[in-house]
């Protein structure tokens, strides 16, 4: 997905985090077996898990079965290799990621996904993957399917045809009697209590989680129409909607200008391995853990692997506890400053994905989504459907039991011996909490966000200022012109013939001389009686109209 600031998908994560953390991601042998099996339910798709870092499903394109990443944070379909019977539409597209560019020509071919068939689905065929910093095929996938709102599709903007709409938009458009929703269940690798595989469904729910439909419908917050390429599955948390390790709310101000007080805007993105949270929130989660360190090179918190860290989110009045195996991860092969193995805190300060437009505060990726059964209702995001045209929403069913999760943690991380209540694992006092440093680049981003996120208000303010100044100038011009007209009118005014006659006591005044001689008798002026201005020999002059003697 491309925009002023794209929310990076899993490819960006692999570059920004996986490469920096230097951990090996190996595809488990059972992944291919899982993908080959059908999940329970008519339209359910099995979802393979690669060490909790990638979730992969199969599509069939032009008759070829292709494993693709599932990404709710973008909206385009692209694959590598060759696709039989594909038609070149004569357009090219480049999608930028931190690992390189997914660039190539746009083709159309028959698509099969979740027991649905779509004719002439547009997709990007990436022939050259040399620009990628990772070998995606060795990671177990050969493309990516975007499951986000249709407005985020670059291919759609390029072609501007119905075939260029996103895969889900095409499926819903040709099945108008079906509800426009998608559900996702992600499993947890390394947890003996987790299901063997995840599942994805379209227009139906998994029978064992059918009570998801009774969960609160969380309205999707809409971004401005001018930036709808950045529209994601985003909702508000509850007031004080994040409870930290001490059970108390983590208070952080939202950068979204329209967010209600005490609430944060959260994006649900299956393409992010490590959820992204405000820096102050990440510090509150990990900064009081004994032995915690912030790795500036990798921009992540690290903690001892035997530290159980409680964390809970609240949406729609429902609490969603996070499994302790998801609050820290042992999959990254990290060591601390002493060279001892440590786990990576999965809820990391938001850096590369920081919203310069101030449209969201948090990105909740895989580490959160493994704790919920998630329903995404597209509603009126779909432009060509006759039914289900309500506002889009998200429903979340909590599936993590706190007590069972505690026992899982003890079994996996503590070899069955519960030491979580030892004094060595007690949180540090609040006044001893560590704080991660803010880089100059991040400070610059925060400053830019303060300006860019308020552009509608700045625009309105500037427009109002211009209108006020223009109004004042117009008013001054009108006043000036009015005064000029009044002065001119006064200069042109004739004597008032209706004035009363001179008073009886007034004396007649005569002029008998000029400066250089006598005034002729015929020019001698005497006012002995009132003059009849109506006489035919009277000719008014500028002098007579201005002077009265």
């Amino acid at each position: 997905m491309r925009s002023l600031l794209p929310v990076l998908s899993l490819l960006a994560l692999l570059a920004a985090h996986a490469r920096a953390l230097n951990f090996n991601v190996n595809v488990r042998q059972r992944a291919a077996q899982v993908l080959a099996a059908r999940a329970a339910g008519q339209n359910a798709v099995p979802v393979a898990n690669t060490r909790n870092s990638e979730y992969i499903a199969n599509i069939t394109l032009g008759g070829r079965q292709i494993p693709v990443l599932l990404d709710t944070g973008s909206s385009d379909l692209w694959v590598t290799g060759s696709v039989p019977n594909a038609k070149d539409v004569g357009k090219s597209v480049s999608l930028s990621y931190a690992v390189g560019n997914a660039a190539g020509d746009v083709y159309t071919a028959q698509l099969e996904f979740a027991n649905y068939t779509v004719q002439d689905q547009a997709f990007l065929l990436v022939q050259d993957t040399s620009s990628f910093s990772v070998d995606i095929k060795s990671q177990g996938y050969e493309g990516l399917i975007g499951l986000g709102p249709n407005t985020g599709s670059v291919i759609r903007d390029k072609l501007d045809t119905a075939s260029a709409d996103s895969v889900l938009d095409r499926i819903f458009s040709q099945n108008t009697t079906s509800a426009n929703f998608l559900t996702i269940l992600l499993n947890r690798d390394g947890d003996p209590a987790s299901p063997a595989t995840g599942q994805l469904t379209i227009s139906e729910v998994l029978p064992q989680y059918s009570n998801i439909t009774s969960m609160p419908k969380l309205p999707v917050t809409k971004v401005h129409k001018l930036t709808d390429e950045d529209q994601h599955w985003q909702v508000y948390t509850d007031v004080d909607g994040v409870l930290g390790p001490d059970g108390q709310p983590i208070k952080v101000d939202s950068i979204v200008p329209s967010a209600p007080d005490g609430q944060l805007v959260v994006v649900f993105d299956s393409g992010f391995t490590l959820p992204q949270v405000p820096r102050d929130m990440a510090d509150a989660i990990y900064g009081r853990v004994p032995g915690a360190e912030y790795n500036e090179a990798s921009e992540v918190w690290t903690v001892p692997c035997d530290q159980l860290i409680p964390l809970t989110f609240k949406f729609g009045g429902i609490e969603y506890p996070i499994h302790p195996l998801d609050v820290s991860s042992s999959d990254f092969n990290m060591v601390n400053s002493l060279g001892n193995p440590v786990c990576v805190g999965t809820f990391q300060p938001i850096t590369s994905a920081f919203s310069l437009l101030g449209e969201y505060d948090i990105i909740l990726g895989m580490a959160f989504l493994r704790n919920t059964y998630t329903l995404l209702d597209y509603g009126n995001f779909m432009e060509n459907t006759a039914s289900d045209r309500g506002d889009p929403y998200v429903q979340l069913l909590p599936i993590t039991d706190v007590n069972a999760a505690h026992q899982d943690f003890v079994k996996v991380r503590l070899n069955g011996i519960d030491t979580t209540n030892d004094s060595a694992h007690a949180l540090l006092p609040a006044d001893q909490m560590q704080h991660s440093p803010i880089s100059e680049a991040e400070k610059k981003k925060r400053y830019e966000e303060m300006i860019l996120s308020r552009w509608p208000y700045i625009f309105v303010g500037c427009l109002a200022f211009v209108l006020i100044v223009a109004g004042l100038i117009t008013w001054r011009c009108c006043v000036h012109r009015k005064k000029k007209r009044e002065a001119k009118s006064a200069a042109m005014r004739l004597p008032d013939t209706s004035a009363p006659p001179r008073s009886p006591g007034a004396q007649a005044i005569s002029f008998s001389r000029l400066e250089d001689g006598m005034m002729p008798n015929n020019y001698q002026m005497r006012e002995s009686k009132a003059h009849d201005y109506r006489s035919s020999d009277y000719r008014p002059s500028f002098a007579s109209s201005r002077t009265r003697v």
Side-chain angles (χ1 to χ4, degrees):
M1 176 175 183
R2 299 178 62 187
S3 60
L4 295 176
L5 184 67
V7 173
L8 302 178
S9 67
L10 180 58
L11 287 176
L13 174 75
L14 290 174
H17 293 289
R19 183 176 56 186
L21 295 175
N22 192 28
F23 75 101
N24 296 321
V25 177
N26 299 312
V27 180
R28 297 182 299 167
Q29 293 300 316
R30 71 170 183 170
Q33 299 172 358
V34 168
L35 286 175
R38 296 300 300 172
Q42 181 182 359
N43 296 319
V45 177
V47 178
N49 175 2
T50 302
R51 297 189 66 183
N52 297 326
S53 295
E54 299 163 351
Y55 288 91
I56 303 167
N58 277 339
I59 64 170
T60 300
L61 194 60
R64 173 192 164 202
Q65 191 174 75
I66 306 173
V68 293
L69 290 173
L70 300 176
D71 186 13
T72 61
S74 64
S75 306
D76 286 306
L77 172 66
W78 62 266
V79 299
T80 61
S82 61
V83 176
N85 305 313
K87 300 177 182 178
D88 191 339
V89 301
K91 300 285 186 178
S92 60
V93 167
S94 178
L95 306 176
S96 298
Y97 297 93
V99 296
N101 290 332
D105 295 331
V106 177
Y107 287 76
T108 62
Q110 178 177 290
L111 170 75
E112 297 175 39
F113 183 56
N115 281 351
Y116 290 98
T117 300
V118 175
Q119 300 295 332
D120 298 322
Q121 173 63 50
F123 65 95
L124 174 64
L125 184 60
V126 180
Q127 301 282 10
D128 183 8
T129 60
S130 61
S131 68
F132 290 170
S133 60
V134 294
D135 184 354
I136 64 172
K137 189 170 184 179
S138 69
Q139 303 296 326
Y141 60 94
E142 299 175 48
L144 179 146
I145 182 171
L147 304 173
N150 200 33
T151 56
S153 172
V154 179
I155 295 176
R156 175 195 186 225
D157 290 343
K158 188 74 172 182
L159 269 62
D160 195 25
T161 63
S163 65
D165 288 337
S166 66
V167 172
L168 268 294
D169 193 282
R170 296 290 307 281
I171 290 175
F172 293 138
S173 296
Q174 70 182 28
N175 296 276
T176 58
T177 59
S178 300
N180 300 341
F181 70 82
L182 169 83
T183 77
I184 300 177
L185 177 70
L186 303 181
N187 73 315
R188 183 178 301 104
D189 189 15
D191 179 7
S194 178
T197 182
Q199 297 184 68
L200 177 147
T201 68
I202 295 176
S203 300
E204 67 177 46
V205 300
L206 296 172
Q208 63 270 40
Y209 300 109
S210 59
N211 55 336
I212 189 174
T213 57
S214 65
M215 290 294 102
K217 294 181 178 180
L218 308 174
V220 172
T221 63
K222 298 289 189 72
V223 302
H224 195 277
K225 183 66 176 177
L226 294 178
T227 58
D228 62 1
E229 288 184 1
D230 266 342
Q231 181 64 64
H232 299 291
W233 294 109
Q234 54 196 67
V235 304
Y236 288 125
T237 66
D238 287 356
V239 175
D240 295 333
V242 184
L243 305 180
D246 59 0
Q248 299 301 311
I250 300 177
K251 295 184 178 296
V252 176
D253 291 332
S254 175
I255 67 170
V256 181
S258 60
D261 291 342
Q263 294 180 265
L264 301 173
V265 178
V266 169
V267 171
F268 299 109
D269 189 341
S270 66
F272 264 92
T273 299
L274 303 181
Q276 307 286 289
V277 299
R279 183 170 293 277
D280 290 344
M281 181 175 292
D283 292 352
I285 295 172
Y286 303 109
R288 294 175 60 188
V289 173
E293 293 181 357
Y294 184 76
N295 188 310
E296 293 189 47
S298 301
E299 296 184 321
V300 295
W301 276 101
T302 63
V303 295
C305 289
D306 62 354
Q307 181 76 40
L308 187 150
I309 306 174
L311 182 63
T312 299
F313 287 80
K314 295 167 61 178
F315 296 97
I318 306 296
E319 292 190 354
Y320 297 87
I322 306 303
H323 198 294
L325 294 175
D326 289 327
V327 183
S328 64
S329 172
S330 60
D331 295 325
F332 293 83
N333 299 326
M334 288 284 289
V335 295
N336 61 13
S337 58
L338 300 177
N340 297 323
V342 289
C343 284
V344 171
T346 53
F347 290 79
Q348 289 299 329
I350 189 167
T351 53
S352 61
F354 184 80
S355 175
L356 284 178
L357 294 179
E359 292 174 338
Y360 54 83
D361 301 290
I362 297 173
I363 301 174
L364 292 182
M366 304 172 193
F368 172 86
L369 294 173
R370 283 191 288 269
N371 297 274
T372 65
Y373 179 47
T374 304
L375 185 151
L376 308 175
D377 189 288
Y378 291 75
N380 57 24
F381 278 155
M382 300 295 104
E383 300 173 352
N384 302 312
T385 58
S387 61
D388 196 6
R389 295 287 296 166
D391 292 331
Y393 61 84
V394 176
Q395 287 179 294
L396 303 171
L397 177 68
I399 60 175
T400 296
D401 179 87
V402 174
N403 294 327
H406 185 109
Q407 295 304 315
D408 291 341
F409 184 86
V410 171
K411 183 176 181 179
V412 173
R413 297 277 182 87
L414 304 178
N415 297 319
I417 302 174
D418 192 350
T419 59
T420 57
N421 291 324
D422 292 354
S423 59
H425 296 94
L427 294 175
L428 299 174
D431 59 359
Q432 296 182 27
M433 180 175 72
Q434 299 183 70
H435 295 275
S436 57
I438 303 176
S439 66
E440 290 300 320
E442 187 173 346
K443 289 180 181 179
K444 181 180 178 181
K445 285 183 178 180
R446 290 189 179 189
Y447 176 77
E448 292 171 347
E449 180 276 327
M450 289 179 62
I451 303 299
L452 295 176
S453 67
R454 290 156 179 80
W455 70 265
Y457 308 99
I458 296 174
F459 175 77
V460 171
C462 292
L463 181 61
F465 175 77
V466 171
L467 292 176
I468 291 173
V469 171
L472 288 174
I473 294 174
T474 302
W475 176 75
R476 290 288 298 171
C477 289
C478 291
V479 170
H480 180 69
R481 292 180 63 183
K482 182 178 180 182
K483 288 182 177 180
K484 287 183 66 176
R485 285 196 301 269
E486 290 178 348
K488 185 175 181 180
S489 176
M492 295 292 295
R493 191 165 51 244
L494 294 175
D496 187 357
T497 58
S498 62
R502 186 179 301 275
S503 61
Q507 298 294 322
I509 300 175
S510 64
F511 293 93
S512 57
R513 291 181 178 274
L514 296 174
E515 263 186 39
D516 297 324
M518 299 294 296
M519 177 182 291
N521 289 334
N522 60 330
Y523 283 95
Q524 191 176 40
M525 299 178 61
R526 292 183 179 273
E527 188 174 4
S528 59
K529 63 179 180 179
H531 184 80
D532 185 2
Y533 288 105
R534 292 171 296 179
S535 60
S536 60
D537 60 346
Y538 176 73
R539 298 290 185 272
S541 67
F542 286 107
S544 65
S545 66
R546 291 197 307 268
T547 307
R548 184 177 181 179
V549 293

